[in-house]
Amino acid sequence: MAKEKIVVYPAVFIKDAEMATFTVVFPDISGAISQADSLGEAIVNAEEVLGLMLYDEPNLPEASSLAEVQQANPKDIVQWIAVDLVKAAKGITKPLVKKNTTIPATLAHEASERGINFSAVLTQALKAELGKS
């Protein structure tokens, strides 16, 4: 795996004067939204939500130009947000489930003698069967 995979997308920071908060949206990434009480916190949250939305995405959307996004959002703050997807993926804890399986005893014995990790093999086989990398 690469040491880093940095992506950059324009973010829109919408200030809600009444609530004194900032909402952050990414026009190119549906569902990537965050909120914070200050602009600084909003920028940090924006990087986090960008990483969470894209860390395992095989086909990354093309980023719009900053000028286009600013033109579409003239009253809001628009700026680039960058995130290292490799670093973001390392911070993700995926939930695991325990599954009991039944296999022929001879296979189980031979695999154990060779030090084969049953969970790793099952995970690889399921990914291949489902067409996931």
Side-chain angles (χ1 to χ4, degrees):
M1 183 176 238
K3 290 185 180 182
E4 63 181 33
K5 183 177 183 181
I6 298 173
V7 297
V8 182
Y9 287 91
V12 180
F13 294 81
I14 305 159
K15 185 171 184 172
D16 182 336
E18 186 177 313
M19 298 292 292
T21 60
F22 286 89
T23 299
V24 184
V25 296
F26 290 86
D28 301 314
I29 298 133
S30 178
I33 185 168
S34 183
Q35 192 170 23
D37 293 330
S38 69
L39 182 58
E41 187 180 354
I43 292 170
V44 171
N45 290 354
E47 180 182 345
E48 182 178 10
V49 76
L50 186 61
L52 288 171
M53 293 297 292
L54 299 179
Y55 77 94
D56 64 348
E57 185 63 43
N59 301 311
L60 297 171
E62 189 172 329
S64 297
S65 78
L66 199 63
E68 289 173 0
V69 176
Q70 185 66 71
Q71 186 176 10
N73 301 276
K75 295 181 180 180
D76 301 314
I77 300 168
V78 176
Q79 70 177 45
W80 292 112
I81 296 294
V83 66
D84 180 348
L85 297 180
V86 173
K87 183 178 175 184
K90 288 179 182 177
I92 303 295
T93 303
K94 295 181 181 179
L96 301 175
V97 295
K98 187 171 183 140
K99 292 287 187 184
N100 291 328
T101 60
T102 303
I103 59 172
T106 55
L107 282 178
H109 179 72
E110 188 176 341
S112 291
E113 282 186 342
R114 294 186 185 190
I116 294 174
N117 180 317
F118 287 81
S119 294
V121 170
L122 179 57
T123 299
Q124 284 178 322
L126 286 170
K127 284 181 177 180
E129 186 70 21
L130 296 169
K132 298 186 179 231
S133 54

